[in-house]
Amino acid sequence: MELQKQVKHGELPFMDRDIHNLFAKMKTMVGANDAMKLMEYMETIKEQNSRFQCAYNKDKKRRLENLFWCHSHSLEWFEKYGDVVVFDTTYKVNAYDMPCGIFVGVNNHGKTVLFGNALLRKETIDTFRWLMKTSVTIMEKMPKTIITDQDLWMSEAIADEMPTTKHSYCIWHITSRFSCWFSALLRTKYQRWCGDFYKLYKMTSIEEFEDNWSLIDIAVQEIINVEERNNMSSIVRPTSSNIKSPLEEQAYGILTPFAFKKFQELQGSNQYLVVHVEE
């Protein structure tokens, strides 16, 4: 909007509704030639600044599939601060439902800097291979460490195209899955376990971490011990006197006590009959 009105950044007041109206207007104006207009825009920027870099590929129908670009200042930032790179594709809020990938890092003032951007048609291994290979070619070096979410295809692509780069998972993505991983397993002990984890996470010295890490090893061992006791109980359990059918007898020899109890509950539902009664 500021470019359209030819005013300096920050000098144009607007509301969220104005942004939505602008997007709708631009989509109507551009229409089916959106990809072509985008590439023309990229070429215009490159003419204005020779260090601006962009690369793209097309699908079998010659439609724009993936696009990567970075500005000249991003290349300069990468030369200085590109040892550690964070790559994220969680942004997908656009009219084309295309993941927007960003490569970012931290400068010497502790501020986030942008190294590169990407628009991706699909999040597949071929897409990530193309993206990682293209970014290395344009940046002219591999980062020493790259941090991403836990995506199997992304991990494989990084291993193929950045063999000397250490790949780590983002702590935010790891902790965001704690609930689905451990809440059912730990039950009432889950909150205490989370507290112990964050206590370890926030430690600043190696000695303090090593002293407290054993508490996590003990918790894990207790889970293993409980599982072993449950397995042993299912092996040496006595013959049940509640078996009512050959099907239950067969299930009793295969399932754990917990699973068999659920199976019996399901079987019990077959013993009921629904009868319609007037009023």
Side-chain angles (χ1 to χ4, degrees):
M1 291 172 64
E2 292 170 338
L3 293 174
Q4 195 177 52
K5 300 292 184 179
Q6 296 183 345
V7 299
K8 293 182 179 180
H9 177 59
E11 295 184 359
L12 179 65
F14 59 87
M15 297 184 296
D16 290 345
R17 184 176 60 185
D18 298 321
I19 298 176
H20 291 299
N21 291 340
L22 176 63
F23 284 163
K25 181 180 179 181
M26 293 301 296
K27 187 175 181 180
T28 303
M29 291 173 56
V30 174
N33 297 322
D34 50 0
M36 185 181 298
K37 293 291 185 181
L38 176 61
M39 300 315 302
E40 289 176 357
Y41 173 73
M42 294 289 180
E43 291 299 325
T44 300
I45 297 180
K46 192 170 182 62
E47 290 176 2
Q48 297 172 354
N49 190 329
S50 60
R51 290 208 68 194
F52 173 83
Q53 297 289 333
C54 70
Y56 63 92
N57 65 350
K58 298 179 180 180
D59 60 16
K60 295 180 180 179
K61 296 182 180 180
R62 299 189 60 78
R63 298 177 301 185
L64 180 65
E65 189 167 23
N66 303 304
L67 173 67
F68 174 82
W69 74 95
C70 63
H71 294 270
S72 58
H73 53 263
S74 294
L75 290 171
E76 294 171 1
W77 285 334
F78 188 80
E79 291 174 0
K80 296 178 180 178
Y81 315 114
D83 287 346
V84 179
V85 173
V86 177
F87 177 68
D88 188 36
T89 57
T90 57
Y91 305 98
K92 205 174 182 180
V93 185
N94 55 68
Y96 303 97
D97 197 32
M98 295 176 67
C100 177
I102 57 172
F103 293 83
V104 298
V106 178
N107 64 13
N108 58 338
H109 298 289
K111 302 298 183 181
T112 301
V113 290
L114 181 64
F115 296 140
N117 312 264
L119 279 176
L120 311 173
R121 177 63 60 187
K122 299 177 182 178
E123 295 182 88
T124 65
I125 185 170
D126 290 336
T127 295
F128 289 131
R129 277 176 177 162
W130 176 88
L131 180 59
M132 298 305 164
K133 183 177 182 178
T134 301
S135 66
V136 170
T137 300
I138 290 179
M139 300 296 190
E140 297 183 348
K141 71 172 184 179
M142 301 178 190
K144 293 182 179 180
T145 300
I146 187 167
I147 302 172
T148 70
D149 64 0
Q150 293 174 285
D151 187 290
L152 182 62
W153 289 336
M154 192 185 301
S155 299
E156 189 171 336
I158 291 172
D160 291 343
E161 303 300 336
M162 298 179 175
T164 62
T165 299
K166 178 183 178 181
H167 181 202
S168 299
Y169 293 138
C170 173
I171 189 65
W172 183 86
H173 289 285
I174 294 175
T175 55
S176 67
R177 300 184 184 182
F178 274 1
S179 179
C180 62
W181 285 345
F182 302 123
S183 60
L185 183 64
L186 297 176
R187 298 184 181 179
T188 57
K189 298 179 180 179
Y190 172 70
Q191 292 298 331
R192 180 180 177 183
W193 182 90
C194 285
D196 290 340
F197 174 86
Y198 284 107
K199 182 179 178 181
L200 287 170
Y201 174 63
K202 294 178 181 179
M203 290 177 184
T204 57
S205 69
I206 296 175
E207 292 77 14
E208 187 181 9
F209 179 88
E210 293 293 346
D211 289 341
N212 286 272
W213 177 251
S214 59
L215 299 176
I216 300 295
D217 294 345
I218 293 173
V220 173
Q221 188 60 47
E222 179 60 23
I223 294 173
I224 295 173
N225 292 341
V226 171
E227 185 178 8
E228 289 178 350
R229 288 197 296 269
N230 290 337
N231 290 337
M232 184 60 66
S233 298
S234 65
I235 294 174
V236 299
R237 59 182 168 159
T239 303
S240 174
S241 59
N242 296 325
I243 296 178
K244 300 181 177 62
S245 69
L247 180 60
E248 286 191 3
E249 185 175 357
Q250 183 180 8
Y252 182 79
I254 298 174
L255 303 177
T256 64
F258 170 79
F260 181 70
K261 183 179 179 181
K262 294 298 181 183
F263 176 77
Q264 281 191 311
E265 292 174 359
L266 180 63
Q267 286 292 105
S269 65
N270 296 330
Q271 299 175 11
Y272 295 94
L273 178 65
V274 179
V275 179
H276 176 71
V277 179
E278 292 295 333
E279 298 183 355

